[in-house]
Structures are given as structure tokens and as C-alpha cells.
Amino acid sequence: MLNDDQLLRYSRQILLPQLDVAGQEKICAGRVLIVGLGGLGAPVSMYLAAAGVGRLVLADGDTVDLHNLQRQIVHDTASIGQSKAESARTRILALNPEIRVEICGKFLDADTAGEAVSGVDLVVDCTDNFATRFAVNAACVAQGKPLVSGAAIRFEGQVAVFNHGADAPCYACLYPDASEVPETCSENGVLAPLVGVIGSVQAFEVLKILAGVGEPLSGRLLLLDGLAMRWRELRLPKDPLCRVCGKPV
Ligand SMILES: [Zn+2]
């Protein structure tokens, strides 16, 4: 049941007939793990907090550095040197004190991803660490949890929802060779608002899945060429031989 403050705070979402009070209640009951509180995790955590997702778990083992502030807008100059998870928690609780925010102050790996994923309904992958990405994906496949994945580099980004619905692909279906991982922005640079665009699409998909509205970006890979400002969409089939989600032969 939403109280009067919540009905007012979330009124512009409740006004959407597809959501209404029932959809907002589902969002408020949602438990979401955000892996990485950098460029993508910044808009994801702020929009999910503002929109009322009831419990957020923030996982990041890094501290805020001056060169992060160009795009990681959940942190500010006073946060330099602080844990990214702590800094993000302070900011999003100021935005919405109604929600619960827990911290996991380490980088998730194959040993820790399973436990972190088990406590939530859905996972948002906002990291640029590929060992973490693959570990989180494997935990999501093992536990049947949807994974909303984003990536941003230079002027280009991509978004997809994995492991959601029948015959849905997983992240490893997209990268069959784990040794052949994409590049990261620490080596290549990134234009500030690119992470805002891609992270906002991730937050959008999370809210749709929690509320059970619309058509999730599952089995499709959305690609943005920011220099031309063009979106493309690729069909992303499940790989029956996938090392993570394929059936053993
Ligand atoms: Zn797979």
C-alpha cells in the first residue's frame, strides 16, 4: 500500500494508465542489484531511486577519482577518495529517502556474484570489467534472473536485456569467446552524455520489467552510433551451444 507522500511523489508515473497504482506498487516492491557505480551506474541508480525501486544493492569496489567526474554524475567533487558505492548511496538517499540502499563494497567475481544475485529480482550490469560481467551473467542464468546490460565507449553504446523470457539469450551468447572481450573506456575515452543515454535506457528497461509493462529489449541488441546519432537493432538469438546457458550435449 502506498502512503499519501508516495502517491504524490510517484504521481506522474501513477498517472500512466499502463502503470497506475498497481504498477507503482510493483516498482516499490522491486529489489535490484546495480553492478558498477560509474558512468552507467550513475544514471541507473539515480533514476531507479527517483522512480521508487524499493531496494537497491550497489556493488562497486572502486573509489571516486577526479577523472570519473566528467561523466559519473552520481558522485561529486567532495566524493573524491570515497568508496563509489558509499558516495552513490549518499546521493540517491538524498534524492529519495523512502527506499532502502545496501552496499556491497567490492567487485563481484565468480565467488561472490551468486550470493549478490540471490537477494534481488533483477540485475543491472553497469561495469566495464569483463570478468565481473561474465560472473554476473553466469549467476543470473543459474538463478533465472533477468540481466539488463549496457556498454558505452567513445561515441558508441549498446543495450540489451538478457535471460528474460523463453529462449532468451544470455550475455555469453553474445560473446561466445570469453577471451575476445570488447574494449573499455579507460583505454579509449567516452563522451560524457553517452553514458547518460545508455544508462537511461537500462533504467527504462528495469522499470518496465518490474512493473510488467511493454515489450522488454530481450533477444535484441540496441546499438547507438552517437556521432551519426543513429540507433540500430540487431536480433540476438540464443546460442544453443552457449557455454553458460546452452543445454549440455
Ligand atoms: Zn548464453
Side-chain angles (χ1 to χ4, degrees), residues 82-103:
Q82 275 181 34
S83 133
K84 285 190 179 178
E86 292 275 2
S87 161
R89 177 167 67 175
T90 304
R91 177 69 171 274
I92 65 181
L93 281 176
L95 182 56
N96 188 354
E98 297 264 350
I99 63 168
R100 278 177 56 198
V101 183
E102 290 160 34
I103 281 183

Side-chain angles (χ1 to χ4, degrees), residues 111-203:
D111 293 330
T112 54
E115 194 188 337
V117 168
S118 71
V120 298
D121 307 309
L122 185 157
V123 179
V124 200
D125 180 0
C126 300
T127 181
D128 62 355
N129 177 311
F130 288 93
T132 299
R133 280 188 188 268
F134 285 119
V136 168
N137 174 66
C140 287
V141 170
Q143 300 182 33
K145 305 269 170 84
L147 175 66
V148 180
S149 177
I153 183 172
R154 293 184 292 254
F155 303 95
E156 299 126 46
Q158 64 180 51
V159 199
V161 174
F162 295 107
N163 198 29
H164 184 59
D167 289 326
C170 83
Y171 184 72
C173 293
L174 179 59
Y175 295 105
D177 180 359
S179 62
E180 200 181 299
V181 293
E183 307 157 293
T184 63
C185 78
S186 58
E187 295 154 2
N188 293 277
V190 56
L191 192 69
L194 176 67
V195 291
V197 175
I198 299 297
S200 297
V201 175
Q202 289 180 276

